[in-house]
Amino acid sequence: MPNKAFITGVTGQDGAYLSQLLLNKGYEVYGLVRRLSTPNYWRLEELGIRDKVCILEGDMTDSHSVNSIVKSIRPLEVYNLAAQSFVATSWQQPVLTTEVNALGTLNVLNAVKLYSPEARFYQASTSEMYGNSNINNTQDEHTPLHPRSPYAISKLAAHWFTINYRESFGMFACSGILFNHESPLRGIEFVTRKITDGVARIKCGLSDHIALGNLDAKRDWGFAGDYVEAMWLMLQQEQPDDFVISTGINHSIRDFLDAAFSAVGISNWEPYIRQDPRFMRPAELHELCGKNSKAQEKLGWRPKVAFDELVRMMVEADLKRIEKESTAKTRYEPSLVAGH
Ligand code: NAP
Ligand code: F7E
């Protein structure tokens, strides 16, 4: 019998890569998808797995749908990836962010506890939970948590619910504290993809600038394809535990601009960048850099794709998309949406 995995957030960046990984391992993959006026399957389609994932309609905020799905599948592994994941939006929609990320996680945990208690549960926690706290400029599993956005607060609640259900009910529940991970499938509102898309458009003569906020923030950026392997590894251990997943190296937005513009042969990017206060955050996280020694030691996990390779991969994918898109009539314009 193939192992059954249930993924919330299956249409997102990580959900798509994780589905691909699990399908390659012989799993039956079931994904929770919310009703949208226009379905969002582009990532599953780009990976060529749209028809291999069993799509089930429901919503994180609707406990009835989550219960029915878990009851009908009885999965052995549950990966809770669904979220309102854009930090900037969380200040504009704090209630929705909390309902989806915190209460939605509680809905999934309760459904697993009631209808598939033997299932192993993975929670998508985040380095945002640290805020600006650090020990010697790095963060690990013992660094104090001090969230600085409604997103981070909602994720902190979900993180503690996961730990509490493990300690209270003996559930095999793990929390992966993942630092930023990117890919050609990253949403276009996040700074990395906004830059690689912008650079590709500048290179093709379709745009003359990119509008950005704070260029000095530093993030520990890895490749999403590597990070979903860590999620799977956490659920294959003898005991449930929490792990930091990161590269251990951070870069500023300026470094990312250097690498992205170099990938198309432009050495001086300053004339192409406009700093726009709309993209500044009410409370910024200045520097994140994860110490991944526990994951290396206990999971045998380490990142494979380096920073320059990741940036190049993303720029090349966006150049290819623009070639294809040149005939399309409309496209999403991130700079028209405040805060994106
Ligand atoms: P993403 O691309 O934004 O995907 C989010 C997913 O959640 C999408 O499939 C989205 O569905 C779904 N979703 C949102 N609201 C929902 C609702 N009410 N009901 C059902 N589904 C809903 O995020 P990601 O980058 O793949 O990240 C995966 C998870 O890891 C998230 O929980 C994120 O917060 C967390 N995380 C991400 C990073 C990172 O750097 N990527 C780092 C640490 C933690 P639609 O397609 O319908 O929008
Ligand atoms: O911002 C700065 C911004 O939106 C990164 C999510 O996956 O990772 C992600 O959260 C940095 C910030 O990601 C723009 O101020 C400058 O310092 O790409 P981002 P994030 O906020 O780090 C964590 C780990 C998650 O858990 C989240 O779900 O870039 N920045 N100018 C900008 N950011 C954006 N988006 N747009 C700009 O124009």
Side-chain angles (χ1 to χ4, degrees), residues 6-312:
F6 174 47
I7 304 177
T8 73
V10 75
T11 53
Q13 170 188 259
D14 293 5
Y17 282 115
L18 180 65
S19 297
Q20 184 183 49
L21 177 88
L22 296 178
L23 287 167
N24 287 340
K25 290 184 184 294
Y27 282 69
E28 272 176 20
V29 177
Y30 297 82
L32 175 78
V33 173
R34 61 177 162 164
R35 193 261 164 190
L36 296 173
S37 61
T38 308
N40 179 27
Y41 294 125
W42 68 273
R43 296 182 174 95
L44 296 174
E45 278 159 8
E46 279 207 15
L47 296 181
I49 56 172
R50 162 72 185 84
D51 298 333
K52 299 188 176 104
V53 174
C54 177
I55 298 299
L56 298 161
E57 196 175 293
D59 195 290
M60 291 293 283
T61 57
D62 182 276
S63 60
H64 174 78
S65 61
V66 175
N67 282 339
S68 315
I69 289 170
V70 173
K71 192 175 178 185
S72 68
I73 314 168
R74 293 193 188 280
L76 285 180
E77 292 179 17
V78 175
Y79 296 88
N80 186 38
L81 310 185
Q84 189 305 90
S85 74
F86 191 45
V87 175
T89 289
S90 77
W91 278 283
Q92 293 156 358
Q93 300 182 35
V95 177
L96 175 110
T97 302
T98 304
E99 282 172 356
V100 175
N101 299 2
L103 298 181
T105 298
L106 200 49
N107 284 337
V108 181
L109 279 165
N110 280 328
V112 172
K113 175 174 168 273
L114 283 173
Y115 300 115
S116 207
E118 71 286 8
R120 296 182 166 207
F121 176 89
Y122 172 84
Q123 170 58 20
S125 288
T126 166
S127 51
E128 287 287 311
M129 298 188 306
Y130 293 116
N132 286 324
S133 92
N134 67 78
I135 295 168
N136 298 327
N137 296 325
T138 61
Q139 293 87 16
D140 68 11
E141 292 81 1
H142 306 293
T143 308
L145 303 169
H146 186 131
R148 273 168 67 79
S149 64
Y151 168 78
I153 295 166
S154 70
K155 281 288 186 176
L156 188 68
H159 177 70
W160 281 111
F161 277 132
T162 302
I163 293 169
N164 182 258
Y165 272 49
R166 179 170 77 216
E167 292 177 352
S168 306
F169 307 118
M171 283 172 61
F172 194 110
C174 302
S175 185
I177 306 173
L178 271 54
F179 283 60
N180 299 51
H181 44 282
E182 318 294 314
S183 74
L185 301 185
R186 186 58 141 153
I188 203 156
E189 67 274 37
F190 297 94
V191 77
T192 55
R193 187 68 214 296
K194 185 173 171 182
I195 292 172
T196 61
D197 174 71
V199 165
R201 284 178 196 284
I202 289 167
K203 178 69 181 172
C204 295
L206 298 173
S207 172
D208 60 3
H209 75 278
I210 310 171
L212 293 172
N214 175 18
L215 303 186
D216 297 317
K218 287 187 169 179
R219 291 291 183 274
D220 178 336
W221 282 298
F223 171 53
D226 289 345
Y227 285 39
V228 298
E229 282 188 39
M231 297 176 189
W232 177 78
L233 281 168
M234 281 180 221
L235 298 200
Q236 313 313 310
Q237 303 306 302
E238 280 184 14
Q239 296 298 327
D241 205 346
D242 308 320
F243 293 90
V244 160
I245 302 298
S246 64
T247 71
I249 303 169
N250 66 8
H251 297 269
S252 65
I253 315 292
R254 288 175 197 280
D255 297 334
F256 198 96
L257 286 163
D258 278 340
F261 276 96
S262 307
V264 295
I266 298 173
S267 53
N268 179 16
W269 46 260
E270 298 218 353
Y272 299 104
I273 300 304
R274 288 189 198 156
Q275 275 202 279
D276 186 330
R278 284 181 307 159
F279 303 117
M280 304 296 275
R281 301 208 167 154
E284 180 61 285
L285 269 53
H286 303 297
E287 194 161 339
L288 288 170
C289 188
K291 203 168 162 195
N292 63 18
S293 26
K294 181 174 173 186
Q296 291 209 24
E297 204 180 295
K298 295 202 170 171
L299 303 178
W301 178 88
R302 63 196 63 224
K304 296 183 192 118
V305 176
F307 176 73
D308 283 330
E309 194 184 342
L310 171 64
V311 180
R312 211 174 319 112

